[in-house]
Amino acid sequence: MKKTRSFNVDLFFLLQEFRLVAADRRSWKILLFGAINLTCTGFLLMWCSSTNSIALTAYTYLTIFDLFSLMTCLISYWVMMRKPSPVYSFGFERLEVLAVFASTVLAQLGALFILKESAERFLEQPEIHTGRLLVGTFVALSFNLFTMLSIRNKPFAYVSEAASTSWLQEHVADLSRSLCGIIPGLSSIFLPRMNPFVLIDLAGAFALCITYMLIEINNYFAVDTASAIAIALMTFGTMYPMSVYSGKVLLQTTPPHVIGQLDKLIREVSTLDGVLEVRNEHFWTLGFGSLAGSVHVRIRRDANEQMVLAHVTNRLYTLVSTLTVQIFKDDWIRPALLSGPVAANVLNFSDHHIIPMPPSKGADDSNPVTSTPAKPTSPPPEFSFNTPGKNINPVILLNTQTRPYGLGLNHGHTPYSSMLNQGLGVPGIGATQGFRTGFTNVPSRYGTNNRIGQPRP
């Protein structure tokens, strides 16, 4: 019950959108050509069955591809009528890319089906009737050319120009250069490269004409299978570059021909006043002829965000139609140097580092003169120093690690003036010796500490 209800809702939605497209007068011509296409395809399929020609069947598949191209043109008109929504913030341009990709892939599947049937016919070649073979060829050629030249299919026109050339176009281009060298007036027609759809229609019709002549003259039925393979290979070779190009658009890749221009624009943006860094840039193809992108721009703390945003958008908008720019200021923070007297709890162990001395070995293994381990085989030391022994107290140093700001704690270095006021002066003046360790009552000379052996405060 739920599946039936959802199907009815989807069907109602499709009918509503079809009425929206049919309300435009530009779509009336497409609907008319679609109806004629269905009629011609029906007649061609019947003639393929009566003639038993697989070459005519392969050529009829091009007429079915024309029907897919007309549906793509309708989708393109619908995309132009629809506006971006909160769910589809980038609009519906990728729908026509998907339609082109599906049409070209279906044409290639039809070509593979023809190749499979042709391989089976080589084992047992049936008889071909040429009664309606030539008529079906001219009907299909006339309708295909009339459809391609009468209706401007924007998605397929863009893909045919942007995609790489097929092997059929390259071979025809070589022949065209040779021909234009003899007759220069034909350069405007055959150069720089012909329309791939018109080219495959003419090549398929030429193959069928040769098939008709050879069968009529010599009853050479195997040429029909050879022509079917040739038409299938031409169809596959023509549709494959378009499938690759539209597939790359669906995969959100950057077009190769705009990578150099984008790199140049990024370098120009990085040199703008106030811009420190441009990072996390990503650009992809949203639809046919439209780029989308996002970029993060780090600016100085004193820079104007709106001004930098306007300059960055103005530079990148020449190539990227849908652009998202995130501006954020430099996040480094310079630590403040606070001055003031040393607090009363400056020697609190939670705020200081205690550096323990390395553990000493047993008393029986050390020399009382040098405080170093004595080896029985080593000679006596030549010199001895009054070095601090194993009983020296651990050295307590101030912790200079800064704490998070905003906690109400004053940290920082104490200036020399306050140190002199508290008795932490220059060593050797009066009783204020101890600049080495930070204590006022510790003598500056090692080896004469009177507090050794006394309990630690």
Side-chain angles (χ1 to χ4, degrees), residues 274-280 295-301 303 305 308 325-331:
V275 176
L276 297 178
E277 184 184 7
V278 178
R279 59 189 181 186
N280 297 335
V295 65
H296 293 178
V297 180
R298 185 168 65 95
I299 63 176
R300 293 198 311 263
R301 301 176 66 183
E305 298 181 3
V308 174
V325 180
Q326 182 175 355
I327 303 292
F328 59 96
K329 291 188 176 182
D330 195 14
D331 54 357

Side-chain angles (χ1 to χ4, degrees), residues 162-189:
S164 60
T165 57
S166 61
W167 62 270
L168 181 61
Q169 286 179 296
E170 292 178 356
H171 285 80
V172 173
D174 295 337
L175 295 176
S176 300
R177 292 188 187 96
S178 302
L179 183 61
C180 293
I182 302 174
I183 308 175
L186 298 178
S187 59
S188 60
I189 300 175

